Amino acid sequence: MVSQLTPISNPNEEALQVATQWLAALSTAADAQAFASQFLPTGWLRDLMCFSWDFKSLAGREQIVEFLSAESQSGGKPRFQHAQLQNFELDKSILPAKFPVPGNPQIEGVSAAFTFAITSPPATGRGFVQLLQDGEGGQWKAFTVMTNIQDLNGHVHEEPKEGIEGYFGTTWEEEHARKMAEIESDPTVLIVGAGQCGLMCAARLGRMGIRALVVEKTARVGDVWRNRKTYPKFIPRNKIADFLEAYAIGQEINVWLSSKVVPTPTYDESSGRWNVEIQRAGNNRVVVKPKHIVFSTGFGAPKIPSWPGMDTFKGKIYHSDQHKGAAPYKGKRAVVIGACNAAIDVSEDFVTMVQRSATCVFSYGTLEKFSSPGDKLPIVEDMDLVNNAMPPALLIELANGALPSFKENDRDLFDGLRKAGFKLTWQLTPGGEEVGPAAFIYNQLASGTFLDVGGAKLIVDGKVKIKQGVEVARVEPEGLVFSDGSKLAADVIVLGTGYHPIMPSIASIMGDGIQKLIGNKVWGLDEGGEFTNCYRPTGAPGIWVTPGGFPQARFFSKHLAIQIKAEELGLKKRI
């Protein structure tokens, strides 16, 4: 997504020696202070469920020591002594390598992956380190370390048994029917939404022997993609949709289609289960009692503005979420309200865009140029490890520092957009400091941004006209009237006005009381520098939220499954 410390170079003997010596020193650390001494004074630790049942980013030795010295959730011992990380070894899958330091390419650092064992809970882990030489004798210390839980011992994702041994006396069809019946009669986890996040979570849970039932409001797995606009550079929407459908079948995921949760589930303190009524296809209502409810519902509801006169418009008004293409409106006067990702995608088909406020633009080509080193790795598990090794807050800081390079790389694009009347910004809030794209993505789920994959050229070339800096005052039968008194005739109006936050959608199902337990925020960084309420305890018993695209779903679905499995095994207390 955004450069961490530039692409990893080929491994060499010096890098191997540096990484080996550092890891040996780390493995001898007897307490939190000794562990933290292997970091630079300003070094960072990102811990994903090795020292606690949560995600944590820590900046500087003082924070690291404070965190590792605090009492563990299980009580009695400090986190460092309770977890007892041991058996550190270099990971042969990602060999130690050198990298140039951002902003000072004459200086080289060393990166390496490593594996380790966790004593409590009994588990294996995998980590990634980026080493720099300090100013005191040139010793190699960690600039960043990520410690990531890999598997609970004895509960690795297991392949289902096949053949005579697995189905002696029965057929696969009979065993599959039995499995589906068990899930439906007593699901441990109810997953709301059968997009990539919901399906991957269900698959992870299934591999760990956890009964997971998925409910999906559409009539077919993959419809959340089939109903989108397609993009010429990327995998076609129907191919993704068909993959998701095949994935659900291949992973033996139980999905109730054309189904939705009926407001409002209730929680039984004595049993630790939720009472959930589900309306299945054909108005058949069923009650299930899961221990956990996972919301994999994607964005919040589409934002639909309310302007005077909308009911008088003679043409068609609809949200970009419903856009399937411009074919039905060929030759019509079309207007798109908005100037961010969804609006730009739609404007590739239409002719006039209303940009009410400034937009943060960055090109796909520039993002590729400044991409993470993990994107260059051939094995997806290695790629995910490296791409998630950097603490999000530090990644934002580095991306902010690289903003001048980003802007310089796209200078011609930005000049052309400005000449066309398109207003640009790199401020999260008006009047604030300029930030890189990571700040927009990590803090507000890319709201206010436009990732250019070719649509900007239509604006630069004048094929998409821009009306900038005005608000819609009202709608008339023949078009729009703006705050400056100007008018714009239209036969079709597309609302590229974005989406509401995720929490209101969850509250519409769970009731307003859920926000008192969870808060109003999903995504964005919390005070600890990690994504708020994402794939981690939310504060409401058994309630989880899993937003994001394929990379987030692929990596963090495993963390969610491990947490739920740990609760089932009594290794983790429910928060």
Side-chain angles (χ1 to χ4, degrees):
M1 181 186 299
V2 179
S3 175
Q4 295 196 28
L5 292 179
T6 0
I8 298 173
S9 62
N10 292 327
N12 58 41
E13 288 300 321
E14 183 182 357
L16 178 61
Q17 182 179 11
V18 168
T20 300
Q21 291 176 350
W22 178 85
L23 196 61
L26 187 74
S27 66
T28 62
D31 54 31
Q33 194 74 45
F35 186 87
S37 71
Q38 298 306 314
F39 290 71
L40 293 169
T42 56
W44 287 71
L45 169 65
R46 187 182 196 193
D47 180 61
L48 302 182
M49 295 168 44
C50 294
F51 291 107
S52 75
W53 287 110
D54 202 355
F55 308 156
K56 197 74 173 178
S57 287
L58 303 147
R61 288 177 180 169
E62 185 176 334
Q63 280 193 15
I64 295 171
V65 171
E66 181 181 358
F67 172 71
L68 296 180
S69 300
E71 189 175 282
S72 70
Q73 183 185 336
S74 302
K77 294 181 179 179
R79 289 189 177 106
F80 184 83
Q81 277 75 20
H82 178 78
Q84 289 188 49
L85 271 57
Q86 56 185 313
N87 300 337
F88 289 91
E89 294 182 2
L90 286 177
D91 189 332
K92 296 179 182 178
S93 180
I94 307 174
L95 296 176
K98 288 188 174 184
F99 62 83
V101 174
N104 198 345
Q106 293 77 22
I107 300 176
E108 288 187 320
V110 169
S111 64
F114 56 93
T115 61
F116 54 92
I118 306 169
T119 302
S120 184
T124 58
R126 199 173 182 215
F128 190 77
V129 61
Q130 292 170 319
L131 299 165
L132 301 176
Q133 287 181 291
D134 64 17
E136 303 173 0
Q139 291 184 314
W140 288 92
K141 300 290 184 179
F143 175 52
T144 68
V145 173
M146 189 258 273
T147 47
N148 176 60
I149 195 167
Q150 191 73 8
D151 285 298
L152 295 172
N153 290 353
H155 301 281
V156 180
H157 294 339
E158 298 176 351
E159 294 294 328
K161 292 182 179 179
E162 297 179 355
I164 296 176
E165 181 182 354
Y167 304 120
F168 184 73
T170 63
T171 65
W172 176 88
E173 288 77 10
E174 290 171 331
E175 286 296 308
H176 180 69
R178 179 192 59 77
K179 176 183 174 182
M180 295 298 108
E182 287 181 353
I183 291 173
E184 294 183 349
S185 64
D186 185 24
T188 302
V189 181
L190 177 67
I191 299 174
V192 185
Q196 64 267 12
C197 295
L199 293 177
M200 288 191 203
C201 286
R204 295 283 196 189
L205 289 162
R207 294 296 188 189
M208 288 189 171
I210 302 292
R211 295 184 297 276
L213 174 65
V214 182
V215 294
E216 167 57 40
K217 65 182 180 181
T218 64
R220 186 178 172 190
V221 171
D223 276 353
V224 290
W225 281 89
R226 287 187 189 91
N227 295 336
R228 295 185 180 190
K229 183 181 183 292
T230 196
Y231 305 94
K233 181 178 176 63
F234 303 106
I235 300 173
R237 66 183 183 197
N238 286 337
K239 182 173 285 190
I240 294 176
D242 291 346
F243 164 76
L244 291 177
E245 191 169 49
Y247 180 84
I249 295 170
Q251 295 294 322
E252 300 182 26
I253 299 171
N254 193 325
V255 184
W256 286 358
L257 296 168
S258 300
S259 302
K260 59 183 180 180
V261 175
V262 177
T264 305
T266 58
Y267 185 68
D268 186 336
E269 293 277 358
S270 60
S271 66
R273 290 179 174 268
W274 288 91
N275 295 296
V276 186
E277 185 177 10
I278 300 173
Q279 182 175 325
R280 297 194 66 182
N283 294 319
N284 179 26
R285 294 200 172 193
V286 180
V287 174
V288 295
K289 297 185 178 184
K291 295 179 182 179
H292 304 267
I293 303 176
V294 177
F295 285 93
S296 301
T297 48
F299 290 111
K303 285 184 180 179
I304 307 294
S306 178
W307 295 310
M310 290 179 76
D311 58 340
T312 69
F313 185 58
K314 292 182 179 179
K316 184 175 179 62
I317 301 177
Y318 64 90
H319 193 271
S320 59
D321 198 52
Q322 301 171 305
H323 184 67
K324 306 297 188 297
Y329 310 106
K330 187 175 182 180
K332 302 288 186 180
R333 298 168 297 179
V335 176
V336 179
I337 309 296
C340 295
N341 285 308
I344 297 290
D345 294 335
V346 172
S347 294
E348 292 183 16
D349 291 333
F350 290 124
V351 293
T352 304
M353 173 189 294
V354 177
Q355 186 191 32
R356 297 171 296 168
S357 58
T359 306
C360 175
V361 177
F362 44 97
S363 73
Y364 185 79
T366 295
L367 281 190
E368 284 189 314
K369 181 177 179 179
F370 290 87
S371 62
S372 159
D375 295 338
K376 313 300 188 289
L377 296 170
I379 300 173
V380 69
E381 290 82 5
D382 296 343
M383 178 181 70
D384 286 342
L385 179 78
V386 176
N387 285 343
N388 287 283
M390 183 74 72
L394 177 59
L395 187 57
I396 289 174
E397 182 182 317
L398 293 175
N400 290 351
L403 180 60
S405 298
F406 269 86
K407 294 169 73 172
E408 178 62 26
N409 203 65
D410 284 329
R411 180 199 291 179
D412 292 343
L413 170 67
F414 297 151
D415 288 346
L417 287 171
R418 290 189 184 98
K419 288 178 182 178
F422 193 92
K423 189 174 182 180
L424 301 170
T425 186
W426 287 269
Q427 298 172 342
L428 277 174
T429 55
E433 67 174 329
E434 290 192 343
V435 297
F440 283 89
I441 296 168
Y442 286 3
N443 285 311
Q444 54 191 44
L445 204 59
S447 176
T449 70
F450 159 28
L451 173 60
D452 177 41
V453 293
K457 190 174 187 303
L458 299 176
I459 298 173
V460 172
D461 293 345
K463 296 178 180 179
V464 171
K465 306 298 181 183
I466 299 295
K467 186 171 182 61
Q468 206 283 324
V470 291
E471 293 286 345
V472 175
R474 66 180 184 275
V475 181
E476 294 184 340
E478 302 294 337
L480 297 158
V481 179
F482 296 96
S483 54
D484 62 356
S486 62
K487 295 186 177 183
L488 188 62
D491 299 307
V492 57
I493 300 171
V494 182
L495 306 174
T497 45
Y499 300 84
H500 289 287
I502 296 172
M503 270 310 300
S505 295
I506 295 176
S508 69
I509 296 173
M510 300 299 296
D512 292 335
I514 197 69
Q515 297 187 64
K516 295 179 181 178
L517 298 173
I518 295 179
N520 297 318
K521 189 175 180 181
V522 172
W523 199 262
L525 301 189
D526 61 15
E527 293 179 356
E530 290 291 336
F531 290 105
T532 306
N533 290 324
C534 297
Y535 297 91
R536 50 196 293 225
T538 61
I543 300 298
W544 309 82
V545 189
T546 63
F550 280 86
Q552 290 80 21
R554 188 174 58 237
F555 187 69
F556 287 106
S557 59
K558 188 171 186 179
H559 295 82
L560 181 140
I562 288 175
Q563 291 177 83
I564 291 176
K565 184 66 176 183
E567 285 191 18
E568 290 295 294
L569 295 171
L571 299 173
K572 174 185 181 294
K573 296 178 181 178
R574 174 173 289 193
I575 298 177

